[in-house]
Amino acid sequence: MEARARALQALIRLRKTEVDQAKAALARMLAEEHAALGRLETRRAAIETERRETLVGQVSSDDFRLWLPAGREAVESAATMLHAARCASDQAREALMQANAALKAAEAILDKRLEEEKEMRTRREQAEIDDLSRRGRVAAG
């Protein structure tokens, strides 16, 4: 194998490492997104729990009214964090797609290069066979 093909194989190993890193980053971002969604749901549930407790008289309506802005702020904060986590997941997904595309491109170039090398060897072998055949006819003739 020639130097160019070896260089392409090194590039493919690098691209595979990049794909692995992009997969790991996406997994982390999806875990963060899942956690952010959980926090948002927990904070929304807290408002509903407080509302139900107020309706059944376990919490005074004045206490609920005083607490509600903080509860809503917690929900808004969690929603903001979820949005940021989703954006990060989208970016990580895009990075993975780009890494996969770069890997596939490098593999395609190597495959083409190896095919060209194979064709060149086949042509050389055929030329040698033809040359030996001509020599054999000249020597016999």
Side-chain angles (χ1 to χ4, degrees):
M1 185 179 304
E2 68 177 49
R4 191 173 194 178
R6 284 191 303 274
L8 284 169
Q9 285 181 328
L11 177 61
I12 288 170
R13 284 191 302 275
L14 174 66
R15 296 295 186 218
K16 284 181 179 179
T17 300
E18 290 172 349
V19 167
D20 291 343
Q21 291 171 344
K23 284 179 182 178
L26 178 57
R28 283 190 309 275
M29 294 303 106
L30 289 174
E32 287 181 23
E33 182 179 334
H34 182 72
L37 179 59
R39 285 188 296 273
L40 177 60
E41 290 172 350
T42 298
R43 290 176 179 166
R44 284 180 176 161
I47 290 175
E48 283 307 308
T49 299
E50 290 292 325
R51 183 174 285 140
R52 269 183 270 142
E53 288 177 358
T54 301
L55 290 175
V56 295
Q58 292 178 344
V59 174
S60 75
S61 55
D62 287 340
D63 288 343
F64 178 70
R65 229 180 333 241
L66 291 173
W67 173 85
L68 187 58
R72 285 184 177 155
E73 186 177 318
V75 167
E76 287 178 28
S77 173
T80 300
M81 290 171 54
L82 176 59
H83 177 72
R86 284 184 173 156
C87 288
S89 292
D90 289 345
Q91 290 174 344
R93 195 174 288 106
E94 179 64 29
L96 177 57
M97 289 186 331
Q98 289 177 0
N100 275 324
L103 172 59
K104 288 188 186 322
E107 289 172 337
I109 292 169
L110 177 62
D111 289 346
K112 183 178 180 193
R113 186 70 187 159
L114 292 175
E115 185 60 34
E116 288 171 354
E117 286 180 18
K118 181 181 174 186
E119 287 176 16
M120 217 171 358
R121 277 193 310 275
T122 302
R123 279 191 222 118
R124 270 191 242 129
E125 289 170 1
Q126 187 60 48
E128 287 176 18
I129 291 170
D130 292 347
D131 187 44
L132 290 174
S133 176
R134 276 192 298 274
R135 286 183 194 173
R137 278 183 280 176
V138 169

